[in-house]
Amino acid sequence: MALLPIITAPDPRLKKVCQPVAAVDGEIRRLMEDMLETMYNAPGIGLAAPQVGVLKRVIVVDVSGDEEPEAPLFMANPELTWVSNEDARYEEGCLSLPEHYGDVVRPAAIKVRYLDRENEIRELEADGLLATCIQHEMDHLEGILFVDHLTALKRNMILRKLLKAKKADKPLASYATA
Ligand code: K1U
Ligand code: ZN
């Protein structure tokens, strides 16, 4: 397994719509494993392929706590098949927008269909942080960042700060940056 550099905003690769994978083969499985290691190392609770510069519809998620056994989820071509009418608000972060946070409202519960690490079709029902995180990662596959759910004022403030930090080549937290 390998640690992959995580791209930080602003970067055009984070705004692209990603392509579906034909199947979860050895190459995609390797990508999933490298993404998981990169996510644990960051540390984070989710990661989408475009964050490591791969414009494919692949995400990994693990919202288990420090005291719990690891519970990684590997998803290719994830699709929402149901969302609740009820919404939930969560203060989100993003490894591609380091040191910035914002309240995002999303459906509180979802059902998601995807191809797993063995190329099997699965459907998962999720709520709480898992539902929030899966939706955040699926947004990345559409080129959408959590700041796109905020007011233009808040979004532009965060993006301006990140651009300034990038221009100054300022190291951001402990994340590996591309
Ligand atoms: O997509 C990403 O950049 C990962 C992001 C996922 C996420 C966080 C919060 C709400 C929705 C989605 C992160 O993992 S940011 C880091 C983080 O939340 C975290 C890090 C260490 C321990 C616990 C959480
Ligand atoms: Zn993110």
Side-chain angles (χ1 to χ4, degrees):
M1 289 207 283
L3 286 181
L4 307 170
I6 297 175
I7 294 168
T8 56
D11 187 296
R13 290 169 289 182
L14 294 172
K15 302 306 297 171
K16 299 268 196 268
V17 175
C18 296
Q19 293 301 310
V21 303
V24 179
D25 56 13
E27 184 196 334
I28 298 297
R29 209 167 295 124
R30 171 73 189 265
L31 171 66
M32 287 170 157
E33 283 161 6
D34 288 348
M35 285 172 57
L36 190 76
E37 187 184 6
T38 303
M39 182 197 86
Y40 284 145
N41 181 68
I45 55 172
L47 194 67
Q51 295 180 275
V52 293
V54 178
L55 300 183
K56 292 185 176 162
R57 301 185 80 82
V58 174
I59 66 174
V60 296
V61 171
D62 186 346
V63 299
S64 64
D66 285 346
E67 307 301 318
E68 294 165 339
E70 288 180 352
L73 286 167
F74 302 91
M75 299 185 176
N77 303 342
E79 283 175 47
L80 294 181
T81 55
W82 174 82
V83 298
S84 62
N85 291 325
E86 188 198 340
D87 285 336
R89 179 187 301 268
Y90 193 87
E91 189 182 45
E92 299 190 10
C94 180
L95 300 173
S96 296
L97 303 162
E99 299 172 11
H100 294 281
Y101 305 89
D103 274 358
V104 179
V105 176
R106 302 183 186 272
I110 58 168
K111 282 185 192 168
V112 57
R113 190 170 51 213
Y114 60 97
L115 286 175
D116 72 7
R117 199 180 163 281
E118 276 71 46
N119 199 42
E120 300 286 342
I121 299 175
R122 302 235 173 232
E123 192 163 37
L124 174 77
E125 200 164 346
D127 61 9
L129 180 57
L130 181 58
T132 296
C133 189
I134 290 170
Q135 291 175 83
H136 174 116
E137 301 313 328
M138 288 180 69
D139 266 0
H140 275 298
L141 306 182
E142 299 298 326
I144 297 168
L145 302 173
F146 85 75
V147 287
D148 296 317
H149 294 277
L150 307 180
T151 63
L153 186 70
K154 284 186 189 160
R155 175 169 60 251
N156 291 334
M157 199 180 71
I158 291 173
L159 293 176
R160 259 201 317 272
K161 283 186 182 165
L162 287 165
L163 180 61
K164 202 171 159 194
K166 218 173 218 193
K167 279 188 177 159
D169 202 22
K170 178 175 165 243
L172 286 158
S174 58
Y175 310 137
T177 55

